[in-house]
Amino acid sequence: MIINLPDLAASEAFAIRIAEALRAGDVVALSGGLGAGKTTLARGIIAALGHDGEVPSPSFAIIELYDPPAVRLPLVHADFYRLEDPAEADEIGLDDYRQGAALLAEWPEHAGGFAHEAACLSILLESTENGRRAIVTAGSDWLERNLWT
Ligand SMILES: Nc1ncnc2c1ncn2[C@@H]1O[C@H](COP(=O)(O)OP(=O)(O)O)[C@@H](O)[C@H]1O
Ligand SMILES: [Mg+2]
């Protein structure tokens, strides 16, 4: 599934759709190079889930947590860019943070990848002339959610 995101408003709208469908246990795996628009989508999802205010990029802290009641469900926003080995994801306690939460993962490949999980929505962002394009691969848990209609 390819979704055109010609401008920031389109990324915002796509983020809202994802947020509406999002459940605990899900992963939204955001791939693409520096500047591809990964954090933009994550910020849109976090805001759509109710968070009011700034969403720091987790590129330094690696993990930022959002908990109800400020958001509709517990969220882990992670940027795994700085991990040198996927085993470090275990060492920082990712599995514990993920309990009962949804995970928004930038640079998921650096954490070993999540596409094998049925609840993973994989989004590869690419640049187009002015905006972005999202190549979306949905795990089986996502297939009956109306993300596309
Ligand atoms: N759909 C889009 N169209 C145009 N510009 C975008 C779009 N999505 C994001 N951007 C811009 O791209 C830049 C980098 O976005 P960011 O989300 O920080 O990238 P990443 O987290 O992948 O490094 C930002 O200036 C952002 O406004
Ligand atoms: Mg980023």
Side-chain angles (χ1 to χ4, degrees):
M1 170 76 54
I2 294 179
I3 296 176
N4 285 311
L5 305 172
D7 50 30
L8 280 175
S11 283
E12 195 87 355
F14 184 40
I16 289 170
R17 291 191 146 191
I18 295 169
E20 284 169 350
L22 198 67
R23 303 173 186 162
D26 287 345
V27 183
V28 180
L30 298 162
S31 302
L34 287 172
K38 303 179 294 298
T39 302
T40 300
L41 265 188
R43 285 189 169 125
I45 295 169
I46 294 165
L49 287 168
H51 178 77
D52 189 14
E54 289 217 0
V55 173
S57 170
S59 52
F60 182 74
I62 301 184
I63 278 180
E64 298 282 348
L65 304 176
Y66 298 86
D67 285 306
V71 283
R72 179 171 66 76
L73 77 171
L75 279 180
V76 181
H77 180 200
D79 183 336
F80 297 115
Y81 184 73
R82 297 191 313 123
L83 297 192
E84 283 170 6
D85 189 284
E88 291 175 27
D90 297 331
E91 287 161 23
I92 61 176
L94 178 64
D95 287 347
D96 292 331
Y97 290 123
R98 285 189 61 188
Q99 289 298 320
L103 170 65
L104 310 178
E106 301 186 42
W107 296 97
E109 307 81 10
H110 289 204
F114 301 92
H116 59 280
E117 296 186 23
C120 183
L121 185 72
S122 299
I123 301 175
L124 170 62
L125 291 160
E126 294 180 345
S127 285
T128 57
E129 243 166 89
N130 298 305
R132 306 289 186 272
R133 152 190 327 123
I135 299 159
V136 183
T137 312
S140 57
D141 278 12
W142 281 86
L143 295 179
E144 61 202 53
R145 305 188 209 178
N146 59 346
L147 205 53
W148 330 111
T149 52

